[in-house]
Amino acid sequence: MRVSGPGRRAVLLGATAVALGGSVAGCGRGGVRGLPELVVATGPPGAVYRQIGGEIAAILDERLPDTDVRAVQTGASHANLALLASGEAHLGLAALDSILDSGDGGALMAIGRLYDAFVHLVVLVGSPVWRASDLEGLRVSVGATDSGTEFTVAQIVAETGLDFEAVRLNQSESAAALADGEIDAMFSLTGLPTPAIADLAEERAVRLIDLSDTADALADAHPDSYLPANLPATTYEDVPSTPTAAIPNLLLCREDLSYDAAYTVTDTVFTSAARLADGSPVAAQINVRTGISTGVVPLHPGAADWYRENKPT
């Protein structure tokens, strides 16, 4: 994945990231000197990426008073990978399946695994859709362009042969369109609970479609990316436990992010899990034991050292 023709700002940010690779070695681990800017690529409105990414940026901004820490709204995984590749972002959230598909994984490293995202297929109560195959000929949101949802749905279509009219809307737009009858169903790849779906479930009666067969097909074809799982019954109002597929979500960084910056980001995120969970319940999954489980994506040396020094006893 490459971003062609970056503008002057992208070039400057890329040069800054490269410069940061060697400019702060030897700084104290309580902070990072010489780090003028830290851009965190998050996600679209109504998505967990947007929520948790914004909270991570806010905590880092407090931790790094001499650094301009900014969260940028994006389309989600694939958009974040493109921003990282171009140097327009230093940190970004992405689903593991999108990372493995990106072709630029060698230029990226992981701060850690944060939480698992779950595939949702949401319809209103009263919908004729009871299984994924019932989507044939219907209007279905597959997420925003360049989102992890869009990519994962493409994988589902490739493995199952589903045939429907795809509409590309972000989380909030999808929920609104479903409530208004403008679409028949919405896919969402997200942490639990996702704000847009939780809000929809409070306003309208909804159902989640059993995706157990889909999950098995994905896990068989791509065992490094997908795991059969269940959406817990307590996630959304009046929605029972539903079989689906889960995908690990990682916090990524550019490989040229300095050692001290990566160390400080890792320390900040993993020691702030309880605070992050206050604003985004999915952050309760963040812990040292699972943080190192980043699959084929290598940990940044600064992150790896933090885990070694803080491994559970």
Side-chain angles (χ1 to χ4, degrees):
M1 178 188 302
R2 295 279 186 237
V3 177
S4 61
R8 180 174 182 274
R9 177 169 177 75
V11 172
L12 289 174
L13 279 170
T16 298
V18 171
L20 291 176
S23 64
V24 295
C27 292
R29 290 177 178 173
V32 181
R33 296 194 306 271
L35 184 65
E37 184 174 45
L38 190 66
V39 178
V40 184
T42 63
V48 171
Y49 271 15
R50 178 64 180 155
Q51 186 179 56
I52 196 169
E55 290 163 357
I56 287 172
I59 295 172
L60 285 169
D61 192 49
E62 295 175 10
R63 177 75 179 269
L64 302 170
D66 296 327
T67 301
D68 178 18
V69 181
R70 293 186 294 111
V72 294
Q73 180 175 301
T74 71
S77 286
H78 272 70
N80 292 351
L81 290 166
L83 290 171
L84 286 163
S86 70
E88 293 180 83
H90 304 85
L91 302 172
L93 293 152
L96 184 56
D97 60 344
S98 294
I99 299 166
L100 294 176
D101 177 69
S102 70
D104 255 337
L108 301 175
M109 289 186 163
I111 295 296
R113 176 175 174 173
L114 298 188
Y115 63 91
D116 290 351
F118 293 75
V119 180
H120 298 58
L121 177 53
V122 188
V123 299
L124 298 180
V125 167
S127 168
V129 176
W130 290 95
R131 57 187 63 85
S133 58
D134 294 334
L135 295 175
E136 184 171 356
L138 301 183
R139 285 173 56 82
V140 181
S141 175
V142 298
T145 299
D146 290 333
S147 66
T149 300
E150 181 189 43
F151 176 76
T152 300
V153 175
Q155 298 286 83
I156 291 172
V157 169
E159 297 302 327
T160 64
L162 289 179
D163 185 17
F164 51 80
E165 181 183 350
V167 180
R168 286 165 176 79
L169 302 170
N170 68 32
Q171 304 273 7
S172 293
E173 293 167 343
S174 296
L178 184 59
D180 292 341
E182 297 173 3
I183 59 174
D184 299 293
M186 64 175 283
F187 278 102
S188 176
L189 175 66
T190 183
L192 305 178
T194 190
I197 297 174
D199 291 346
L200 175 64
E202 290 180 359
E203 298 172 5
R204 301 289 300 272
V206 301
R207 286 191 285 110
L208 292 175
I209 302 303
D210 183 329
L211 294 175
S212 52
D213 291 344
T214 300
D216 289 340
L218 288 172
D220 287 344
H222 307 282
D224 291 335
S225 301
Y226 303 105
L227 303 168
N230 280 280
L231 282 154
T234 55
T235 306
Y236 303 108
E237 187 171 340
D238 297 324
V239 178
S241 176
T242 308
T244 188
I247 304 166
N249 277 277
L250 310 185
L251 179 60
L252 301 173
C253 66
R254 289 178 56 87
E255 65 177 354
D256 54 21
L257 188 68
S258 76
Y259 176 97
D260 286 291
Y263 186 101
T264 299
V265 169
T266 309
D267 181 66
T268 301
V269 170
F270 283 85
T271 59
S272 302
R275 177 176 167 184
L276 289 167
D278 287 341
S280 184
V282 71
Q285 294 184 39
I286 297 174
N287 66 82
V288 176
R289 293 183 186 278
T290 59
I292 60 174
S293 301
T294 56
V296 298
V297 184
L299 288 168
H300 190 288
D305 278 357
W306 185 87
Y307 289 117
R308 288 190 194 98
E309 294 172 13
N310 293 275
K311 60 185 178 182
T313 56

